[in-house]
Amino acid sequence: MLRLPRRRLFMLGSAALLGTLPAPRLRNPFTLGVASGDPLPEGVLLWTRLAPRPLEPAGGVPPVRYPVAWQVAEDDRFRRVVRSGTATAAPEYGHSVHVDVRGLRPGREYHYRFRAGAHLSPPGRTRTAPARGASPRRLRFATASCQSYTDGYYDAWRHLAAEDLDLVFFLGDYIYEGAINSVGGSRMDPALRLPDTFELETDTLDLYRMRYALYRTDPDLQAAHAALPWVLTWDDHEVQDNYADEVPRLPGALPADFAVRRADAYRAYWENQPLRRPRQPSGPDMSLYRRFRFGDLAHAYVLDTRQYRADQACGDGLRAGCAERDRPGRTLLGAAQRDWLLDGLGRSEARWNVLAQQVMMAECRYGGPANRLDMDKWDGYATDRRRILQTAARMPGTVVLSGDIHCNYAADLHAGPAVVGVEFVGTSITSGGDGSDTTGQLDLQRRYNPHLRFANAQRGYLRCELTPDRIRADYRVMSQVTRPGGTITTRASFVSERARPGLVAA
Amino acid sequence: MIWLAAGLLLGLAADPATLAITSGPCNGRAVTVRMTNDGPAPVYADAVLAASPGLHLPRRLISTWLPPGYTRSVPVMVSAAVGTRAGVYHVRVSGGGRRIDVPVTVTAPAPDAALVRLAARVTASSARASGGVCAAIDGDPGTMWNDATGRRWPDRWQLAWDRPHRVGLVRVVTTARGGLRDWDVQVAVPAGWETVAAVRGNTAVEVTSTFAARRATAVRIVTLAGNGAGDQSRLAEVVIR
């Protein structure tokens, strides 16, 4: 058989595809970039979405199917293509493309790209997980969360893309559901010519799709997606601020109406993230909790603390003396997810068990005479937390990664008097604006919570390195986000030993 | 789950059946599009909206999941720019093989209409989804313009006309809780923006600023501080005379 170089085959294939493309042809459809995610030892999920006019409801794509060719190569010049094929971008999925590539080698870097018609996507770089039986020397990752578009520029993503990392855990609030206009917020960019459709609160599938499209037009966010694989979970703003399972934030909305809104939000989330097809929602339900293995070094449990939780106790917010939070049966994770997690943790053979999730797990008293607790966090769901930390007491190497609150915290996790794990709460990418090194509230929290080793309210992300016996976390903070060009520095670093958990300044 | 391809099971309705509006960015009215899944299985469905030239719709597509028997109701504001010729226009909604026509009668506001009704442009430095700029002149103190940048000042709400009007009074209605504390009232005169009133330390819900009347092409309220509650700009109503 005549063997052509893979690159040549790709070009021939694309030329052949041109003849099958429905009219009209598309302008450059790769305005939203590319992404990869959920790495396995043998494969990774590749994503893109066709949108030649990304700020229009359907992205400027006619309601027909388009073939999209893809390639995976061992080199960034695509001379050694190892996998290729053609996927379909269908209108019912917002012309998104999800390619579940298998047959790759574990622990290897790969490069990928797409082609639609005559248009070639920007290239992406990704990495498979180590082999299941491997004993990796280290795993380097970042955590990030909360990237309100109107609150600032995404320079933090550009800095993160330049880091030497294996993957990113994104811990929620990828979009925000409120109004955006061209003159509002910190970006204040009338040149965007943002349609007034964005002034509507997202509540239907078309509006959620448009919101993801707007966010993904940002070049720094695109750079971070293209630089390494992401493992994502969501928090509340992907649907609505502080919702709990089927309970919307504000009273008065009918449960059936909120279920439909949740279905539309979950659908748009799946369409716009590098998630495999089995994760696809069924109406208002979408299974997002899952586990990833990095040889015997780490198991990562990606949790969903929004979809199954009991309604926030005592009416949500900061509360003191709320006995309801201890009521038996209240759960943050839901029984099925909690039992799955406890079973996995209890039988784990990994050196480390990493819980990538949304809300702060460590107790956090807000100080003052009332000494309140936040009912939206694990403090409002004490039973679930107790069971997890009791399991952690038996299983060394428990690390919790959190987001949600636009602040950095480093905390020891206690089961009784004993420290059984550590928690790193990462700040926001932009949400909250520039922030500050500390605030009066953070000062109070440090005073009333001696297990908090660090607190800071700047923007940025967390950079972590996991080795068989130690974890190190660097708190990377931005000089500014409300104007472009922010620089990044390491504000603080902490380590914790697997055999003797507890945070120590590095 | 199926995608509604044939579309025969989608019930489509619009309410009201006809609409009458006056031209102007905040003089529109909503038509509520209702999509009903009349079939036995959940579907994702689209309703496509189109409007005659001269009408403005903030959205042209509604896509949503519909469980069996469920009706999704989505209000869509219909407005016409100042200067739109009087006449009958149309909003058309189609989906599931069905098509609905909503005739929209557009007239110009009466020459003696309130100055806020004669506005050609109403803008703000930012706005929340639940607190758009028009909420400050809709005659309903239960709705408000609400800026989207809590704890950051100043903010700006502005109303402009296509031709000058004589202005000597600006009444601000804010809220009892978290209402405006400090603001300036400015008018656009040939020499530029002129501050005609400066309100400081306010705790009242309603404040009327009167000043020597002058011909202006715009009025703006520059908000400088609020009374707590997230420190946001809250304008429930603005009256200009």
Side-chain angles (χ1 to χ4, degrees):
Chain A
M1 187 178 78
L2 176 64
R3 295 183 68 85
L4 291 171
R6 288 284 184 175
R7 177 176 169 80
R8 175 74 176 145
L9 278 175
F10 188 53
M11 296 175 71
L12 287 172
S14 299
L17 291 178
L18 276 175
T20 65
L21 275 178
R25 291 179 184 175
L26 299 175
R27 297 190 315 186
N28 174 27
F30 296 111
T31 59
L32 308 181
V34 300
S36 70
D38 282 10
L40 304 174
E42 66 278 9
V44 69
L45 194 287
L46 306 181
W47 174 94
T48 192
R49 181 179 159 203
L50 307 185
R53 294 192 293 274
L55 302 185
E56 292 186 4
V61 187
V64 293
R65 293 166 180 262
Y66 281 84
V68 179
W70 56 270
Q71 285 182 324
V72 176
E74 292 178 336
D75 64 305
D76 61 2
R77 302 188 71 179
F78 289 86
R79 287 177 171 157
R80 298 192 302 279
V81 173
V82 295
R83 287 288 179 276
S84 61
T86 301
T88 299
E92 57 265 41
Y93 295 109
H95 287 100
S96 62
V97 176
H98 296 72
V99 180
D100 191 358
V101 181
R102 300 295 175 113
L104 303 179
R105 291 196 283 176
R108 295 290 296 259
E109 180 178 288
Y110 289 97
H111 302 264
Y112 62 94
R113 62 185 178 182
F114 300 90
R115 184 188 287 276
H119 301 285
L120 194 63
S121 77
R125 184 179 62 185
T126 190
R127 189 172 185 84
T128 52
R132 287 179 176 78
S135 296
R137 286 177 43 248
R138 69 174 193 174
L139 180 71
R140 300 196 71 189
F141 61 88
T143 76
S145 60
C146 306
Q147 51 171 0
S148 172
Y149 186 87
T150 53
D151 279 6
Y153 293 86
Y154 290 162
D155 294 273
W157 281 125
R158 194 178 72 254
H159 293 298
L160 189 149
E163 303 266 15
D164 177 18
L165 300 170
D166 297 308
L167 76 159
V168 171
F169 290 106
F170 189 83
L171 304 177
D173 292 346
Y174 191 97
I175 60 163
Y176 281 68
E177 75 277 27
I180 297 178
N181 64 33
S182 298
V183 296
S186 296
R187 295 209 183 201
M188 296 268 187
D189 184 5
L192 265 177
R193 295 186 171 279
L194 212 54
D196 60 357
T197 314
F198 288 92
E199 294 180 21
L200 303 169
E201 177 165 337
T202 55
D203 64 355
T204 52
L205 178 55
D206 52 301
L207 296 181
Y208 281 112
R209 281 173 172 161
M210 291 176 73
R211 191 58 58 94
Y212 281 101
L214 171 65
Y215 276 60
R216 281 187 172 277
T217 55
D218 184 276
D220 294 324
L221 179 59
Q222 288 191 11
H225 273 295
L228 68 172
W230 287 35
V231 173
L232 294 110
T233 187
W234 54 34
D235 197 10
D236 50 340
H237 287 287
E238 282 88 351
V239 181
Q240 184 191 50
D241 183 32
N242 275 28
Y243 81 97
D245 191 3
E246 296 173 344
V247 182
R249 176 183 176 87
L250 297 174
L254 295 173
D257 293 340
F258 187 69
V260 170
R261 175 173 178 164
R262 203 176 89 166
D264 289 341
Y266 284 10
R267 173 79 166 211
Y269 183 82
W270 181 83
E271 288 175 357
N272 284 279
Q273 301 296 6
L275 295 165
R276 290 191 167 81
R277 200 159 287 276
R279 297 287 157 202
Q280 193 179 132
S282 173
D285 302 309
M286 178 171 150
S287 175
L288 193 59
Y289 63 89
R290 57 211 192 277
R291 180 175 65 172
F292 295 90
R293 300 176 184 221
F294 301 93
D296 69 358
L297 178 61
H299 289 177
Y301 298 83
V302 180
L303 305 183
D304 174 358
T305 65
R306 286 290 164 195
Q307 188 175 182
Y308 313 106
R309 67 159 68 189
D311 193 13
Q312 288 92 345
C314 300
D316 203 358
L318 300 177
R319 295 284 181 264
C322 174
E324 183 190 344
R325 73 189 187 103
D326 282 321
R327 182 169 52 79
R330 280 182 51 76
T331 176
L332 183 65
L333 298 174
Q337 180 179 202
R338 184 191 59 218
D339 293 348
W340 163 85
L341 175 64
L342 292 174
D343 181 61
L345 288 177
R347 295 193 293 121
S348 174
E349 295 175 350
R351 299 287 295 174
W352 294 91
N353 291 302
V354 177
L355 277 57
Q357 51 98 53
Q358 296 79 23
V359 289
M360 188 173 187
M361 181 179 280
E363 184 177 88
C364 187
R365 297 189 174 277
Y366 278 67
N371 217 3
R372 298 166 298 174
L373 298 167
D374 189 340
M375 295 300 107
D376 189 56
K377 303 189 181 64
W378 286 82
D379 274 330
Y381 303 84
T383 305
D384 271 8
R385 177 171 62 189
R386 193 176 307 121
R387 293 186 64 178
I388 289 167
L389 294 181
Q390 285 170 349
T391 302
R394 295 188 287 107
M395 306 297 295
T398 299
V399 174
V400 177
L401 308 172
S402 316
D404 175 47
I405 42 181
H406 315 166
C407 287
N408 288 308
Y409 295 95
D412 290 337
L413 293 171
H414 287 259
V419 178
V420 299
V422 294
E423 179 176 19
F424 300 112
V425 182
T427 185
S428 61
I429 290 290
T430 55
S431 302
D434 289 333
S436 55
D437 186 43
T438 192
T439 66
Q441 182 62 68
L442 292 184
D443 292 341
L444 267 183
Q445 289 173 358
R446 271 192 296 263
R447 191 188 318 160
Y448 283 81
N449 300 277
H451 55 283
L452 296 185
R453 305 297 187 190
F454 175 62
N456 161 278
Q458 288 170 275
R459 307 285 82 88
Y461 55 88
L462 199 62
R463 182 180 67 197
C464 297
E465 181 177 82
L466 202 57
T467 58
D469 298 314
R470 199 177 79 145
I471 185 167
R472 176 193 174 102
D474 299 320
Y475 288 85
R476 305 278 280 161
V477 298
M478 294 290 296
S479 59
Q480 66 190 37
V481 297
T482 56
R483 287 165 293 145
T487 57
I488 197 153
T489 55
T490 298
R491 171 63 183 82
S493 298
F494 290 88
V495 297
S496 178
E497 304 291 333
R498 177 179 180 274
R500 194 170 50 191
L503 292 168
V504 177
Chain B
M1 216 74 65
I2 60 167
W3 185 263
L4 196 67
L8 297 177
L9 302 176
L10 177 67
L12 197 63
D15 177 33
T18 63
L19 216 55
I21 62 174
T22 56
S23 55
C26 293
N27 297 338
R29 289 179 60 202
V31 59
T32 298
V33 176
R34 303 190 198 285
M35 303 161 68
T36 302
N37 179 3
D38 292 326
V43 296
Y44 291 93
D46 289 341
V48 177
L49 292 89
S52 311
L55 294 185
H56 176 72
L57 307 177
R59 64 193 305 178
R60 298 301 177 110
L61 178 68
I62 301 168
S63 302
T64 186
W65 179 72
L66 296 172
Y70 179 83
T71 297
R72 184 77 190 249
S73 299
V74 179
V76 178
M77 190 62 69
V78 182
S79 62
V82 166
T84 302
R85 188 189 300 256
V88 178
Y89 297 76
H90 297 271
V91 171
R92 295 189 175 88
V93 187
S94 56
R98 302 183 182 189
R99 183 173 165 135
I100 292 172
D101 186 300
V102 180
V104 179
T105 303
V106 178
T107 55
D112 60 349
L115 289 182
V116 295
R117 298 268 73 83
L118 298 175
R121 291 168 299 284
V122 183
T123 55
S125 51
S126 68
R128 291 182 188 271
S130 56
V133 292
C134 291
I137 52 172
D138 63 358
D140 178 2
T143 64
M144 71 182 93
W145 165 66
N146 196 174
D147 85 288
T149 57
R151 291 180 288 278
R152 273 188 277 169
W153 305 89
D155 302 313
R156 174 184 53 77
W157 181 93
Q158 181 173 323
L159 180 148
W161 298 281
D162 276 346
R163 61 182 180 82
H165 289 276
R166 196 166 177 79
V167 178
L169 178 150
V170 172
R171 179 177 300 140
V172 165
V173 181
T174 180
T175 53
R177 179 173 177 272
L180 281 180
R181 192 188 77 192
D182 303 336
W183 68 90
D184 288 345
V185 177
Q186 299 180 334
V187 296
V189 293
W193 286 104
E194 181 183 355
T195 300
V196 292
V199 178
R200 298 291 183 270
N202 172 63
T203 56
V205 169
E206 183 174 312
V207 178
T208 300
S209 302
T210 55
F211 44 89
R214 63 211 70 195
R215 290 176 67 77
T217 53
V219 169
R220 75 181 177 192
I221 296 167
V222 180
T223 62
L224 304 169
N227 289 302
D231 254 6
Q232 295 164 8
S233 293
R234 294 180 170 92
L235 276 180
E237 281 302 306
V238 176
V239 176
I240 302 171
R241 286 182 195 146

